[in-house]
Amino acid sequence: MQWVPLLESMGRVLASPIRADRDQPPFARSTRDGFACRAADLQPGRRLKVIGQVRAGERWSRESADPLPASGPADEIASGEAVEIMTGAPVPFGADCVVMVEHVEECSGAIQVREGHELSPGSNIVPAGAEARMEQVVLPSGLRMAPAQIAAAAACGAGQVSVFARPRVAILATGDELVELGDQPQAHQIRNSNSYSLAAQLLTAGADPLRLPIARDEAAHLQSLVEAGFEADMLLISGGVSMGKYDLVEQVLLAAGAEFFFTGARIQPGKPIVFGRIAAAGGPRYFFGLPGNPVSTMVTFSLFVEPLLRALAGQPYSGPRFAEAVLKTGLRGKPGLTRFLPAVLHAESDQTSITSEVEPVPWQGSGDLANTSRSNCFLVVPADHPVIDAGERVTVLL
């Protein structure tokens, strides 16, 4: 748990609730430009005398009104009177509604309501304390801070907030075929894009990524980097989890005493994923072995890594984020595995409804970053429903 300045809490998870330091709003607030008055006075043909004006940041006083009322509080609107008021201004005492300026006729310092615009008490007014009462919890612990939450905290006077520490996650990409961005790849090599995609996903999920050097396809080198990775709160290993001769991740983890919760999932891409934990000083460390193909890495992160990461960051459990849409173009696949296809989700609207449509992007498999970068979701093709016609409702992974 850490105390940080309010703006530094953006994307972090609250460890302690934030309470209102006073009623919100602290006064009855006008929601319209118009005239504050008594609703009972707004009768067709009746003229109300305008006795003053109040803006946001002011409180109306009768000091300039002439004559003063014969009885009642000096700063209270009497029957037959109105005060011009601006949006956000405190409603004068005695007024119980605000009639919008476009709904009245003004003449010689008086107003009268236009026909068809009768109001009831409370119209166009937010009562004092209607949003929150003093000491009421406005932002509960476990809430992730976003712009709306930042604004709500500021309204409560919370210049410093208590947040959970960001999980520190080590990223270890494996494979002799990989080179770093600053190196020139040879014809048989590729750049280490997975470390960057995982780091980006970690930042989005509210974690601090730690990129380790590339692990070569040699057990001792991989072991030394795995040990370094377990100094973080979580370790993500990209590549080396399939059944190839040089896929060494599982045997290195087993030699280190790892406990595996599962090895493999019935999905495509991402089938070879593994998940487990290892005992370490200060508590267990969780790890994921993710497939090396870039799109597989992205899919498995969204499905498996991010939910656990959010829990480690202090958020209540929330699984992967799915939505529904209409399939724009039919597709044909093979049964047996749930497939996740890069796709474009967009909305179309008319005067009566909004329809979300999704369409797969053409791609060349789970190594195709160029076409995947044009997508904004993954279309989910169920294992038992591989043939989907245009117009059917489908699930998308956001």
Side-chain angles (χ1 to χ4, degrees), residues 73-384:
D75 288 339
E76 181 176 311
I77 290 178
S79 178
E81 297 177 334
V83 168
E84 186 177 10
I85 192 168
M86 310 305 166
T87 300
V91 176
F93 295 113
D96 60 11
C97 74
V98 172
V99 57
M100 296 168 63
V101 65
E102 55 264 43
H103 294 165
V104 300
E105 294 178 356
E106 300 180 62
C107 182
S108 302
I111 62 166
Q112 71 179 47
V113 67
R114 298 179 189 274
E115 265 190 70
H117 294 290
E118 295 181 4
L119 274 71
S120 56
S123 294
N124 300 322
I125 293 175
V126 178
E131 298 164 0
R133 289 293 185 184
M134 185 174 178
E135 292 300 321
Q136 179 181 335
V137 172
V138 175
L139 299 175
S141 58
L143 194 67
R144 192 176 186 197
M145 298 294 281
Q149 288 72 39
I150 296 287
C156 294
Q160 298 271 330
V161 296
S162 174
V163 295
F164 288 100
R166 294 182 188 271
R168 189 164 173 261
V169 182
I171 303 169
L172 177 57
T174 70
D176 288 341
E177 74 278 14
L178 299 179
V179 299
E180 292 293 3
L181 266 61
D183 299 328
Q184 182 62 41
Q186 299 180 33
H188 59 281
Q189 295 177 314
I190 58 175
R191 292 187 174 90
N192 177 18
S193 63
N194 282 356
S195 284
Y196 289 88
S197 67
L198 285 171
Q201 287 180 292
L202 287 167
L203 288 170
T204 301
D208 285 331
L210 170 64
R211 294 179 58 253
L212 298 174
I214 296 170
R216 301 303 168 195
D217 292 327
E218 192 274 316
H221 187 240
L222 177 60
Q223 180 182 349
S224 67
L225 288 171
V226 165
E227 290 173 354
F230 279 132
E231 295 180 8
D233 299 310
M234 183 190 292
L235 172 61
L236 303 182
I237 305 173
S238 171
V241 294
S242 295
M243 301 298 291
K245 181 178 180 180
Y246 296 100
D247 292 326
L248 307 174
V249 168
E250 287 190 48
Q251 68 182 60
V252 167
L253 289 170
L254 284 170
E259 173 189 6
F260 285 84
F261 295 124
F262 64 80
T263 56
R266 296 183 63 82
I267 61 174
Q268 185 185 43
K271 183 179 179 182
I273 182 175
V274 301
F275 170 55
R277 68 183 174 188
I278 191 168
R285 297 292 190 268
Y286 293 94
F287 65 84
F288 284 92
L290 308 177
N293 281 331
V295 183
S296 302
T297 302
M298 295 178 195
V299 169
T300 50
F301 183 97
S302 295
L303 290 174
F304 300 102
V305 180
E306 187 171 357
L308 176 58
L309 193 63
R310 292 192 183 279
L312 291 176
Q315 284 187 273
Y317 171 78
S318 60
R321 296 180 302 139
F322 293 101
E324 280 194 349
V326 174
L327 184 63
K328 190 172 182 179
T329 305
L331 59 86
R332 302 289 184 269
K334 295 180 180 179
L337 298 175
T338 300
R339 301 173 67 208
F340 294 84
L341 306 179
V344 174
L345 177 67
H346 56 90
E348 294 184 354
S349 62
D350 55 31
Q351 295 181 345
T352 59
S353 63
I354 299 177
T355 301
S356 295
E357 289 189 324
V358 65
E359 185 173 20
V361 300
W363 73 317
Q364 303 302 315
S366 57
D368 186 351
L369 280 174
N371 284 305
T372 301
S373 68
R374 300 183 180 96
S375 68
N376 59 10
C377 68
F378 291 96
L379 169 62
V380 182
V381 183
D384 58 355

